Amino acid sequence: MRVVISEHAGFCFGVRRAIELVTKAVESGGELSTLGPLIHNPQEVKRLESAGVKVTADITGARCKRIVMPSHGVAQEVYDLAKESCAEIIDATCPYVSKVHRTAKELAKAGFFVVVIGDPAHSEVKGILSAAGSGAIAVRSPEEAASFDWTDKAVGIVSQTTQTEERFQEIVDIIRKSAKEVRAVNTICIATRQRQEAVQDVAPEVDVMFVVGGRNSANTNRLREICESAGVPTYHIETASEIKNEWLEGKETAGITAGASTPDWLIEQVKDRLEKV
Ligand code: SF4
């Protein structure tokens, strides 16, 4: 089978930086934990665990030596708690995520009702909401935006870094229709845009698409949505072992893309598996 790997598939700048910070910390020796998974890729998190990096789900009441903040950031109160409980904090929050925190904070300070376009259950969105202070809300979909009364509101909008441009624009347009004032700052990160644009070119050209990445990875799920909307059979997998032979029957060309937290070694394994068909 011919295999096409979409440009920019795999690790983004923020994830690479987080892995490098942790690798350096491991090399310096001593106890090391990450607050929740460092990145949204279970296989890479497992690899780090086998190198001695523990995952701490909750630091309430815990005393730890060194704790790493994950690439997608945490809520301010969680950061404060970590500062109280741990001797050293290694902040692997991606600079693009920190920038969204600052933007949300500034909008709130300027008197805007802050809206974060994204999934309120996602840890990155929780962090952005906390930076904006009480009163900020997350809006997940155009339908949700349309059901809200924006009349008389001055609305400041930011986005989860991994949203699609289309969804961002659609929601901003809906809010603009009735809000008194709208200040929308597109905070979708460049790495997300590059992956999404590249896969838009690849998906229509292949018989089947494989999107490799954590099921808990927001940007991987967006890539899957983009491939599906191109009308190509699409499979979201975490590892090559999930690929079923019947998915490949009658197919000549397969495309691969991967989320921003998917390591190269997982992409390579998928490529090898498909090339053997
Ligand atoms: S996807 Fe973007 S915001 Fe998220 S870690 Fe990567 S570079 Fe940073």
Side-chain angles (χ1 to χ4, degrees):
M1 175 167 271
R2 195 170 79 86
V3 178
V4 181
I5 299 186
S6 180
E7 224 186 321
H8 305 293
F11 275 2
C12 61
F13 152 78
V15 166
R16 204 174 291 282
R17 178 178 169 273
I19 300 279
E20 279 167 13
L21 282 171
V22 166
T23 307
K24 219 181 263 175
V26 168
E27 282 164 9
S28 69
E31 190 187 298
L32 184 68
S33 312
T34 63
L35 183 50
L38 178 70
I39 60 171
H40 286 138
N41 186 273
Q43 291 72 31
E44 182 66 5
V45 168
K46 210 165 168 195
R47 188 191 68 79
L48 290 171
E49 273 184 297
S50 62
V53 183
K54 291 188 197 140
V55 179
T56 304
D58 184 3
I59 43 164
T60 317
R63 313 278 342 151
C64 57
K65 291 209 173 99
R66 288 185 303 168
I67 189 119
V68 186
M69 296 296 121
S71 58
H72 40 272
V74 294
Q76 187 59 49
E77 54 275 20
V78 176
Y79 192 93
D80 293 342
L81 188 60
K83 244 168 138 181
E84 277 171 30
S85 317
C86 306
E88 186 189 341
I89 291 185
I90 298 170
D91 193 353
T93 308
C94 174
Y96 288 125
V97 174
S98 302
K99 196 171 162 212
V100 190
H101 286 201
R102 284 198 300 278
T103 307
K105 212 178 268 180
E106 280 162 17
L107 287 168
K109 209 172 155 198
F112 287 93
F113 174 70
V114 176
V115 168
V116 182
I117 296 178
D119 175 2
H122 191 282
S123 41
E124 183 193 326
V125 175
K126 287 182 188 165
I128 302 169
L129 286 170
S130 126
S134 59
I137 62 162
V139 171
R140 201 191 324 228
S141 64
E143 295 71 31
E144 216 177 328
S147 70
F148 204 85
D149 181 11
W150 305 103
T151 327
D152 297 333
K153 284 195 167 53
V155 187
I157 307 174
V158 293
S159 175
Q160 184 177 3
T161 55
T162 49
Q163 284 297 311
T164 60
E165 297 285 337
E166 291 69 24
R167 186 168 302 164
F168 177 80
Q169 209 43 61
E170 216 179 320
I171 294 176
V172 170
D173 289 347
I174 289 168
I175 297 175
R176 257 192 226 289
K177 274 187 202 152
S178 53
K180 186 174 70 175
E181 185 187 349
V182 169
R183 188 174 299 169
V185 186
N186 185 337
T187 51
I188 297 169
C189 94
I190 178 88
T192 301
R193 271 184 226 171
Q194 285 171 333
R195 273 158 198 71
Q196 291 177 357
E197 281 168 14
V199 85
Q200 271 160 3
D201 292 339
V202 172
E205 303 298 322
V206 298
D207 303 319
V208 57
M209 269 309 295
F210 289 91
V211 183
V212 190
R215 295 195 210 288
N216 56 346
S217 159
N219 75 86
T220 307
N221 280 300
R222 295 292 95 73
L223 291 171
R224 175 185 49 76
E225 285 171 12
I226 290 170
C227 295
E228 284 170 352
S229 64
V232 63
T234 300
Y235 300 98
H236 178 174
I237 53 171
E238 288 192 348
T239 64
S241 63
E242 293 169 41
I243 298 172
K244 294 196 169 78
N245 286 335
E246 65 248 39
W247 296 349
L248 308 172
E249 273 165 25
K251 309 282 193 285
E252 286 175 6
T253 308
I256 300 176
T257 187
S261 31
T262 307
D264 286 349
W265 58 271
L266 281 173
I267 301 172
E268 277 306 310
Q269 285 175 1
V270 173
K271 181 173 174 267
D272 289 351
R273 161 77 173 91
L274 294 171
E275 279 179 343
K276 282 193 186 112
V277 176

